[in-house]
Amino acid sequence: MKNAGLLVGGAAAGSLGIVPATGCGRKTILGVTTSIFVCPICGQEFTSLEEIQSHFVTAHPQAGKLTAGQLTSLNINGIDYQLQVRPDWTLVFALRDKLGLFGTKVGCDMGVCGACTVLVDGVAMFSCIMLAVECQGLKIQTIEGLSDGIELSPVQQKFYDNEAFQCGFCTPGFIMAGQGLLAVNAKPDMEEVRQAFAGHICTCGNFKKTIEAVAGGI
Amino acid sequence: MTDIVPLNILGNSDNHDQHGRHIVTGKADFAGDRLPGGKLYGALKLANIAHGKIKSIDASGALAEPGVRAVITHAECPIWMDAIFFWGQEVAGVVADDPNTAARAALRIKIEYEVYPFILDPDEAMKNGAVLSDVLPGSNTRLVTNLTRGDVSAGMARADVVVETTQPWSSSYQHNTIEPHQSLAWWVGEHVYFWATSQHIHNAKNTLVNSLGMPGNLVHAFTHFTGCGHGDKNSANAAVIAAVMSRAVGGAPVHFGESRHDNVLVNTRQFAVKSSIKLGARKDGTLTAIDARFWGDGGRNAAAPIANVHFGLRTTYKCPEASFQVTVVNTNAPPRGFWRCVNDPPGAVNYDAALDKLAQKLGIDPYQLRRKNMRPFDAPDQDAPFQVWGGTALEQCFDWVYGNSDYKGKYHVAGMKTLDDGRLHGIGITGHIDSHGTVSGASRGATILMTPDGRALINMGGARGSEGGATVCCHVAAETLGMKYEDVGVGEWGNTDVTLDAGMQAGSTFTPSAGSAFYNAAMDLRTKILNFAVTRVPFRGSAVEDLDTKNSEVFLKSDVTKKLSFREVMSGAPPTAGVGNGWSPSLRSRPVGGVAVGSACNCNGDSATCAEVAVDTETGEVEILGLWNAVDTGRTVFKQGTLKEMMSGNELIIGQALFYGDIYDEKTGAVISTSYVDALFPTTLDFKTERLHVQDIESDDSAGPYGAHGIGEPCVSNYSAVICAIFNATGKWIDMDKGACTPDKVLKALGKA
């Protein structure tokens, strides 16, 4: 889904995002199959790629900018944001680079390390493999949303008390995963915590402390 | 050993990391965590040949991509070149409005190469007539260590038993630190500013000064939190690239962050080591001669830090006749460099295997062989310049792991114990003096500011890395000033404009070096505070020597009821700071082995480990049944941090022994294990953390602040314990073939694959 190009238009509109609906189709006339190209902005039909490209340049000179983003509502930590979001932006990119919520980290950007974990409707998810545009109507909670930063949440307090961190880069991801686990299992044992944390990498080697911070509950 | 006198602040397990709240609330700001919506983004183009030269670069496709602002090449970036030495070497960079555009545009840069033959296999690289890597002119090999002690031939002649053994290549892998290399840079006029992820921010600044040929006062470097260095974040390459990218777009802020794929390809990695070791011994196990040759695969790095792979063998065991040679082999593979503990893990896995083979031939317990030959703790180094050691507690470390693992009750001859479930049981025990842990002397500086409300704030010229360096320094400051721990905090840190260089946060040098500097700064500040105090009622008429400090109060030694808080003392006083430098390694607190206080000495770390394993002969899987690791801390400073660091060493040992290893495409020379999926990293399901045990052993070392020395390296040295345990289980040495003891290799050693 990331880096997907326009279905029509090519270089004229850039390869910025996904254009929905019919950009290109085939019409059968009198037994002859002809390709048609449909402008996704005005619906006008053309019979060649060159024609639609020329149309874009003359009729929709701002097309690159229009397809660069769409207004998207995101509910983050209980606050509704209206953002111009490009279709290829991941949720973590929108959180960090547009909303300034840098607590969520990017370790691998491919859904393997867990550093980008947020809660989506209470469930721990990797925000680096979710598109921001997919998140309309969902309740997203990040590490910043667990507390006001002065009084720690119970999970944060447990991680602090247990010194369950080393460099701290992966810690927000572990805390959010722990929060998500505790919401469905208030007193997980060590094995249940290991399972919940299995999608998280800690390259400092601090698994012991993070597991102990959550095992047994808060 | 000296009795350990308890201190007020050091070693207190109630003390927490000064930056813990930042971390658990998501407020820990790493290099890229700033300027939302106000920065451009950089991405790399990497070479897709292993050896050759750039003939031309066509960036037109990239520049035509909407949102692309600039393309840079070796013409703009002084740390890049047109000569290619490994697949994945940086050749160009793109600056764009967003990271996806930058990455996509980078793919559209067309590079034409003149392609040369490449050499990837270090064994092939060592042969006469091998393809030259061109890392060094004329040869792929370079002898970097050549040391002889006594008469080795005579020593071998005296031996009752001689074992000559070769060990295949140990593992090689990139750190794959969870935070990729990244930097944010911008220019204001002729000044460049950058945030970096760095283990030595003042050195990062110097790197930019030298790379860009700029005066130091025009370069401003900052860091706060650094994600998991382990030697990977010593380099300032990302900062140089970010600065050049920013310059290319008129100084606009550019966030250059390497993708996971690029991060693995571009940066340095742990090097593989193989050896040929000959050991001579009497029947009772006394060593009579050592003839040890090591080869290390340096990849593209001519200066790969391989020279000390023999260190533990050279220093831990007494042997009057010994010879050590280390050769670096260069290939067209990514550069090798500092991985946590550097040369000691791959060195130890080689010589510990040799020692276990000798023990097997002698028919004695490998543990007894090691203990018999261990150099006494206060004996001088056997080689010039014959310095004494500041003190080592290696014997105590061995005692602890031996006792707590019940090694004596569990040891058996190799291959002779099967568990009830059919798996083979094994146990191994190793330990040695580590080559890390020195004091870097007067080049480390520290300042401590006393605020009007009686708090002390340390100003530290370094990042907060995994070790919690600022917290260590706060402990030293609080102890020396006589303050409560909660009254000491961190002021400015990681800002090269307003802090002194606290030094490299690596090599287990930070605690002894920066700690020494903060000790001296605290002594300076304490003197100033007491000088104010004698002007205050109730101390008027007293001399500074009549006063003492404790719990953030100044009191009269002869009448402790006469006291003032630091706040009361400092009320109305001018801004006051203490300044200090570190000192050279010397016997600071007590004589050792008859050598006087103040003499030069070695200040190294040491540790021991016992590993217990179960090997499944059907699947080849190795399960860690227990891991016990004891580290000589000298004096434990940040108790919780120390134990975490040691536990982290245990977890990394498991990774090194059973998981890590680069995978190459031998046809192209490309590293193809560029994600956490292929470059295996253990997860929480791969071992049971409750089976890992650590112990800090205090020895009141004679060097370092309060006898404290660095421990971050020694706790990782002992991956050889796991390897030796696997041998004890199977009776076979696994050919790790530059990777880990994965199930396929175990099965192959067992003749089942």
Side-chain angles (χ1 to χ4, degrees):
Chain A
M1 292 290 279
K2 282 162 55 173
N3 300 323
L6 281 173
L7 297 180
V8 289
S15 49
L16 297 174
I18 300 162
V19 176
T22 54
C24 177
R26 292 189 184 277
K27 192 157 70 171
T28 301
I29 302 173
L30 298 176
V32 174
T33 301
T34 308
S35 295
I36 60 168
F37 298 83
V38 181
C39 176
I41 297 171
C42 64
Q44 198 170 342
E45 293 186 359
F46 301 89
T47 56
S48 76
L49 183 60
E50 290 72 25
E51 285 179 358
I52 194 168
Q53 284 177 332
S54 175
H55 163 77
F56 258 93
V57 170
T58 53
H60 308 296
Q62 299 301 314
K65 292 195 170 72
L66 277 176
T67 55
Q70 59 189 64
L71 205 58
T72 303
S73 297
L74 293 176
N75 182 279
I76 313 291
N77 298 327
I79 300 171
D80 286 318
Y81 296 92
Q82 298 286 324
L83 283 184
Q84 198 74 13
V85 172
R86 282 189 17 185
D88 63 335
W89 287 356
T90 58
L91 174 61
V92 70
F93 181 75
L95 289 172
R96 289 175 50 84
D97 290 73
K98 298 303 162 188
L99 295 176
L101 295 170
F102 289 113
T104 308
K105 306 300 182 194
V106 178
C108 69
D109 214 19
M110 56 192 292
V112 178
C113 75
C116 66
T117 303
V118 297
L119 295 184
V120 179
D121 287 345
V123 178
M125 306 274 277
F126 292 164
S127 61
C128 74
I129 48 173
M130 298 177 67
L131 293 178
V133 291
E134 295 178 307
C135 296
Q136 286 204 101
L138 302 174
K139 290 193 183 336
I140 312 290
Q141 189 176 32
T142 71
I143 183 77
E144 291 92 342
L146 286 189
S147 69
D148 59 8
I150 298 170
E151 288 294 322
L152 300 179
S153 76
V155 173
Q156 289 171 323
Q157 189 68 52
K158 196 75 189 294
F159 269 72
Y160 176 82
D161 291 342
N162 211 48
E163 289 276 331
F165 49 82
Q166 281 226 285
C167 77
F169 194 86
C170 69
T171 309
F174 274 101
I175 289 176
M176 298 312 289
Q179 179 77 23
L181 171 65
L182 291 169
V184 296
N185 182 350
K187 289 194 184 304
D189 60 26
M190 294 278 279
E191 193 54 39
E192 286 166 329
V193 178
R194 269 193 278 269
Q195 292 284 344
F197 285 172
H200 291 256
I201 302 278
C202 172
T203 57
C204 289
N206 198 42
F207 285 148
K208 183 174 171 73
K209 286 288 197 173
T210 54
I211 292 169
E212 288 173 356
V214 176
I218 303 296
Chain B
M1 301 245 64
T2 304
D3 288 334
I4 308 300
V5 175
L7 296 171
N8 294 313
I9 308 295
L10 266 61
N12 187 334
S13 58
D14 291 333
N15 295 343
H16 282 283
D17 194 297
Q18 293 277 341
H19 291 112
R21 291 183 68 93
H22 292 73
I23 290 171
V24 302
T25 57
K27 299 270 189 298
D29 58 314
F30 294 79
D33 294 345
R34 43 194 45 85
L35 291 184
K39 57 193 178 187
L40 301 173
Y41 299 85
L44 290 175
K45 172 78 174 178
L46 305 182
N48 60 356
I49 62 164
H51 189 196
K53 190 170 177 166
I54 296 173
K55 281 167 67 174
S56 67
I57 300 178
D58 177 3
S60 58
L63 288 166
E65 184 87 13
V68 168
R69 304 292 191 100
V71 171
I72 62 168
T73 69
H74 60 275
E76 291 81 26
C77 187
I79 58 171
W80 292 348
M81 58 187 75
D82 59 354
I84 305 297
F85 293 97
F86 65 96
W87 204 98
Q89 182 175 323
E90 303 114 308
V91 291
V94 175
V95 185
D97 292 347
D98 70 275
N100 287 348
T101 301
R104 205 168 45 242
L107 295 174
R108 296 182 67 180
I109 296 175
K110 292 195 178 83
I111 311 225
E112 202 184 340
Y113 297 100
E114 190 177 332
V115 181
Y116 307 154
F118 68 89
I119 185 83
L120 202 59
D121 184 338
D123 283 318
E124 292 299 316
M126 288 193 268
K127 290 181 180 169
N128 283 333
V131 167
L132 291 178
S133 64
D134 286 333
V135 172
L136 284 172
S139 174
N140 290 328
T141 62
R142 185 165 68 99
L143 186 68
V144 291
T145 295
N146 192 7
L147 185 158
T148 300
R149 177 200 307 159
D151 183 340
V152 174
S153 300
M156 292 293 177
R158 284 202 303 274
D160 297 318
V161 165
V162 174
V163 160
E164 194 158 2
T165 173
T166 57
Q167 277 299 108
W169 295 100
S170 61
S171 52
S172 177
Y173 44 85
Q174 216 280 321
H175 310 53
N176 232 337
T177 54
I178 189 77
E179 183 204 13
H181 285 249
Q182 58 172 335
S183 179
L184 174 70
W186 67 97
W187 294 72
V188 178
E190 53 183 1
H191 291 255
V192 63
Y193 300 80
F194 68 92
W195 283 84
T197 177
S198 174
Q199 289 177 246
H200 193 176
I201 192 63
H202 278 266
N203 197 50
K205 170 183 166 162
N206 291 340
T207 300
L208 248 85
V209 166
N210 292 325
S211 301
L212 301 183
M214 294 177 63
N217 63 316
L218 299 183
V219 179
H220 313 269
F222 312 96
T223 189
H224 269 173
F225 291 81
T226 285
C228 188
H230 296 178
D232 193 31
K233 304 273 168 63
N234 283 331
S235 144
N237 286 355
V240 174
I241 294 168
V244 172
M245 286 179 167
S246 173
R247 187 164 61 183
V249 289
V254 174
H255 177 208
F256 167 60
E258 290 173 1
S259 68
R260 177 56 48 190
H261 170 272
D262 292 359
N263 190 85
V264 173
L265 286 176
V266 159
N267 295 293
T268 59
R269 62 242 298 123
Q270 175 63 291
F271 43 83
V273 171
K274 71 178 247 186
S275 64
S276 171
I277 300 177
K278 193 169 165 183
L279 299 172
R282 297 211 188 283
K283 274 187 233 173
D284 67 355
T286 305
L287 287 172
T288 60
I290 300 172
D291 185 0
R293 290 154 209 280
F294 300 86
W295 293 265
D297 177 6
R300 179 264 178 277
N301 187 355
I306 296 174
N308 257 338
V309 289
H310 67 299
F311 188 91
L313 182 61
R314 179 182 82 71
T315 58
T316 309
Y317 303 104
K318 51 185 192 304
C319 185
E321 338 288 351
S323 168
F324 305 96
Q325 282 191 347
V326 181
T327 301
V328 174
V329 184
N330 286 121
T331 61
N332 294 116
R336 273 53 171 161
F338 302 100
W339 184 86
R340 190 159 170 199
C341 204
V342 200
N343 36 242
D344 288 84
V349 83
N350 276 269
Y351 58 73
D352 277 322
L355 287 168
D356 273 31
K357 288 176 185 176
L358 176 64
Q360 187 183 30
K361 189 152 183 188
L362 286 166
I364 64 177
D365 181 343
Y367 171 71
Q368 299 302 340
L369 177 69
R370 285 172 171 81
R371 292 304 298 260
K372 186 172 190 60
N373 290 287
M374 200 175 298
R375 194 179 51 74
F377 84 96
D378 60 353
D381 198 325
Q382 296 166 95
D383 304 292
F386 305 108
Q387 286 180 202
V388 295
W389 300 92
T392 72
L394 183 56
E395 290 171 4
Q396 287 88 327
C397 291
F398 264 113
D399 287 343
W400 188 87
V401 301
Y402 182 79
N404 282 273
S405 66
D406 188 25
Y407 177 90
K408 186 176 180 182
K410 293 176 181 172
Y411 172 73
H412 51 80
V413 172
M416 297 299 283
K417 181 169 177 180
T418 303
L419 296 167
D420 291 343
D421 58 12
R423 293 185 297 170
L424 299 177
H425 172 271
I427 193 160
I429 188 166
T430 63
H432 48 256
I433 297 173
D434 193 274
S435 63
H436 300 91
T438 58
V439 180
S440 300
S443 57
R444 302 298 171 240
T447 54
I448 307 174
L449 175 70
M450 181 61 65
T451 65
D453 64 351
R455 288 197 75 219
L457 297 177
I458 70 162
N459 280 7
M460 192 184 89
R464 189 223 174 266
S466 310
E467 79 295 332
T471 299
V472 168
C473 297
C474 284
H475 275 73
V476 172
E479 187 74 58
T480 310
L481 285 165
M483 295 183 75
K484 294 179 189 171
Y485 178 68
E486 57 264 32
D487 290 337
V488 178
V490 182
E492 188 64 62
W493 50 299
N495 178 341
T496 59
D497 286 348
V498 299
T499 60
L500 297 173
D501 184 359
M504 180 176 68
Q505 287 153 290
S508 299
T509 65
F510 189 77
T511 291
S513 302
S516 298
F518 276 98
Y519 173 89
N520 284 328
M523 288 296 284
D524 180 44
L525 181 58
R526 185 176 182 276
T527 301
K528 290 170 179 169
I529 292 167
L530 294 182
N531 279 325
F532 286 134
V534 293
T535 67
R536 310 280 195 229
V537 174
F539 305 128
R540 286 202 185 123
S542 303
V544 165
E545 307 78 62
D546 299 330
L547 303 179
D548 203 348
T549 59
K550 191 173 180 179
N551 293 329
S552 301
E553 291 178 326
V554 179
F555 61 92
L556 199 60
K557 287 181 197 173
S558 60
D559 182 358
V560 300
T561 63
K562 292 197 167 127
K563 60 183 178 181
L564 289 175
S565 68
F566 272 51
R567 181 182 182 144
E568 288 165 327
V569 170
M570 296 308 298
S571 174
T576 306
V579 184
N581 290 105
W583 58 68
S584 299
S586 62
L587 292 172
R588 190 178 66 77
S589 61
R590 59 186 172 86
V592 172
V595 179
V597 170
S599 305
C601 67
N602 294 315
C603 173
N604 286 73
D606 45 80
S607 75
T609 300
C610 177
E612 187 181 2
V613 301
V615 179
D616 190 323
T617 58
E618 296 302 317
T619 63
E621 286 179 338
V622 176
E623 182 182 0
I624 301 291
L625 300 179
L627 201 58
W628 296 262
N629 179 241
V631 179
D632 172 14
T633 63
R635 172 77 73 160
T636 301
V637 180
F638 172 25
K639 180 77 170 184
Q640 294 220 44
T642 296
L643 295 177
K644 275 194 291 187
E645 188 81 338
M646 292 168 58
M647 187 56 67
S648 123
N650 267 350
E651 296 191 14
L652 292 187
I653 285 171
I654 295 171
Q656 192 166 16
L658 304 179
F659 288 85
Y660 305 156
D662 283 340
I663 303 172
Y664 288 83
D665 174 355
E666 291 181 6
K667 287 200 170 64
T668 62
V671 173
I672 55 177
S673 48
T674 58
S675 76
Y676 287 122
V677 176
D678 315 296
L680 290 182
F681 222 90
T683 71
T684 51
L685 298 181
D686 289 310
F687 55 88
K688 296 211 179 341
T689 54
E690 51 270 42
R691 294 178 181 172
L692 311 185
H693 314 277
V694 297
Q695 179 66 54
D696 56 326
I697 305 283
E698 291 190 303
S699 60
D700 191 17
D701 202 326
S702 297
Y706 297 100
H709 51 78
I711 59 98
E713 260 60 32
C715 55
V716 188
S717 295
N718 297 293
Y719 107 96
S720 54
V722 177
I723 304 305
C724 289
I726 295 173
F727 166 72
N728 183 253
T730 61
K732 307 283 184 198
W733 290 100
I734 312 300
D735 180 357
M736 290 176 282
D737 192 22
K738 308 183 205 71
C741 284
T742 47
D744 58 315
K745 292 175 188 162
V746 173
L747 289 174
K748 189 174 174 186
L750 291 172
K752 295 194 168 190

